[in-house]
Amino acid sequence: MSETPFHAGLVAVIGRPNVGKSTLINAMVGYKVSIVSARPQTTRHRILGIDSSPDGQIVFVDTPGLHSDGKRAINRYMNRAARGALADVQLCVLVIEAGQWRDEDEAAWQVARDSGLPCVLVINKVDRIRDKGELLPFIATVTQEREFAEVFPVSAEKGVALDDLRRGLLRLLPASEPLYGEDEVTDRSERFLVAELIREQLMRQLGAELPYATTVMIERFADEERMLRISATIFVERDGQKAIVIGAGGSRMRSIGQAARLAIESQFERKVFLELWCKVREAWSDNENALRGFGYE
């Protein structure tokens, strides 16, 4: 009797902002490869999350949320990154929120449809639907005139039905050798992950609009025997924003730094010494050269 073949491939995860794409990928991989917050457009980059199991390997491609605001260079970059993720993948996963189908969901579906790839619909946050009897009519409505290879209601945050999703995705991927080593979880460097963990705290601790005017650059990353020594600069676009990030007597910067340090220590299981500065780079988010300098490729 022949053994079950190993399946592997790349799966692009798309959807409108804030439907839980990064939370889903982190849960599937079992490692925090993408930062999360309650704010939309937290994810800015194309990031791989690698889920290896005895039956196969799913290489998730996390993407910025597709959105209609293309006024600034960074918004155009994020839309390009999301659409570009559909190149060289074998499967597309469209993530939506249970009970909701908005214009941006429809736009994301059209991107998936036009790619010509098989598309799996993942209905996330089903734990927030009190009357589960509402799910079947919702699924029927969404799939009535849209073709999906399979449909999976899940809760990424609660870990509901993720094994079913994993098996379903592997069935749709080709028989293949692993694409990455079984101990690899992402294609991103430690420096990148650290910068993202700092930016996560900016998303969580600052006011409604300010986090979108911030980015982080790692100036020093020294891996010593028992400690990581990290120096990073937070860039903003105006002097008034710098004052808010620093806070009265440096209180906000200390709070951001402490929370980021704890997150980095948890991620890397090492003691961390973290230094933060804040500088102004005017209109960086609408400057293509500045974006490239900050690693938005």
Side-chain angles (χ1 to χ4, degrees):
M1 180 180 294
S2 62
E3 295 182 357
T4 303
F6 194 90
H7 290 251
L10 281 83
V11 176
V13 181
I14 68 169
R16 66 171 166 85
N18 220 31
V19 292
K21 299 182 298 296
S22 296
T23 301
L24 175 67
I25 291 174
N26 290 342
M28 295 292 287
V29 173
Y31 187 84
K32 190 171 186 175
V33 297
S34 293
I35 62 172
V36 295
S37 81
R39 302 189 186 281
Q41 300 176 34
T42 299
T43 300
R44 289 179 176 173
H45 302 268
R46 176 186 180 276
I47 302 170
L48 297 189
I50 305 162
D51 173 30
S52 298
S53 66
D55 298 324
Q57 187 178 79
I58 306 170
V59 182
F60 292 100
V61 185
D62 194 10
T63 63
L66 285 159
H67 55 95
S68 56
D69 180 9
K71 295 179 181 178
R72 295 182 301 161
I74 192 169
N75 299 119
R76 296 192 295 273
Y77 160 82
M78 288 191 291
N79 276 338
R80 289 196 304 269
R83 289 183 169 88
L86 295 173
D88 302 321
V89 303
Q90 287 76 48
L91 189 61
C92 175
V93 166
L94 173 63
V95 183
I96 66 172
E97 187 172 343
Q100 298 190 26
W101 184 269
R102 303 178 185 176
D103 290 343
E104 287 179 305
D105 294 309
E106 180 65 27
W109 153 247
Q110 290 176 8
V111 169
R113 178 198 61 195
D114 294 346
S115 72
L117 295 165
C119 185
V120 170
L121 178 65
V122 171
I123 304 172
N124 193 24
K125 306 183 184 181
V126 296
D127 56 301
R128 301 186 183 182
I129 302 295
R130 292 184 179 180
D131 183 0
K132 296 301 188 283
E134 297 175 359
L135 276 176
L136 287 178
F138 174 72
I139 293 171
T141 299
V142 171
T143 60
Q144 186 173 7
E145 296 181 356
R146 304 175 186 93
E147 184 177 351
F148 295 100
E150 291 203 49
V151 179
F152 293 94
V154 308
S155 170
E157 186 175 13
K158 303 296 184 182
V160 174
L162 297 186
D163 286 340
D164 292 339
L165 174 59
R166 178 178 289 106
R167 287 190 291 267
L169 295 178
L170 286 174
R171 283 196 301 269
L172 293 167
L173 289 174
S176 168
E177 294 296 317
L179 305 178
Y180 292 87
E182 64 178 2
D183 59 340
E184 294 183 81
V185 291
T186 186
D187 64 328
R188 291 291 185 166
S189 69
E190 292 180 334
R191 293 175 71 101
F192 174 87
L193 295 174
V194 165
E196 287 288 272
L197 289 170
I198 296 169
R199 191 169 65 81
E200 181 178 52
Q201 293 307 316
L202 297 174
M203 299 295 292
R204 292 182 174 184
Q205 296 197 35
L206 298 178
E209 297 299 327
L210 185 53
Y212 302 107
T214 63
T215 195
V216 177
M217 177 173 285
I218 302 301
E219 310 287 355
R220 181 191 183 206
F221 185 96
D223 188 353
E224 299 180 354
E225 184 177 353
R226 296 183 180 179
M227 178 179 291
L228 293 176
R229 291 189 179 271
I230 300 165
S231 300
T233 301
I234 300 166
F235 284 91
V236 295
E237 297 188 307
R238 298 192 299 273
D239 287 330
Q241 294 169 343
K242 178 178 178 179
I244 294 172
V245 170
I246 293 174
S251 58
R252 178 63 66 189
M253 183 75 94
R254 285 195 296 273
S255 177
I256 291 167
Q258 182 180 24
R261 177 181 59 79
L262 292 174
I264 296 166
E265 288 181 342
S266 175
Q267 182 92 331
F268 291 93
E269 298 180 341
R270 303 281 300 281
K271 285 292 184 183
V272 171
F273 177 79
L274 176 64
E275 292 181 300
L276 292 180
W277 289 271
C278 187
K279 296 181 181 179
V280 176
R281 177 74 181 270
E282 291 188 6
W284 69 264
S285 66
D286 202 23
N287 184 314
E288 297 281 358
N289 290 330
L291 288 174
R292 283 192 289 272
F294 288 136
Y296 293 87
E297 296 290 349

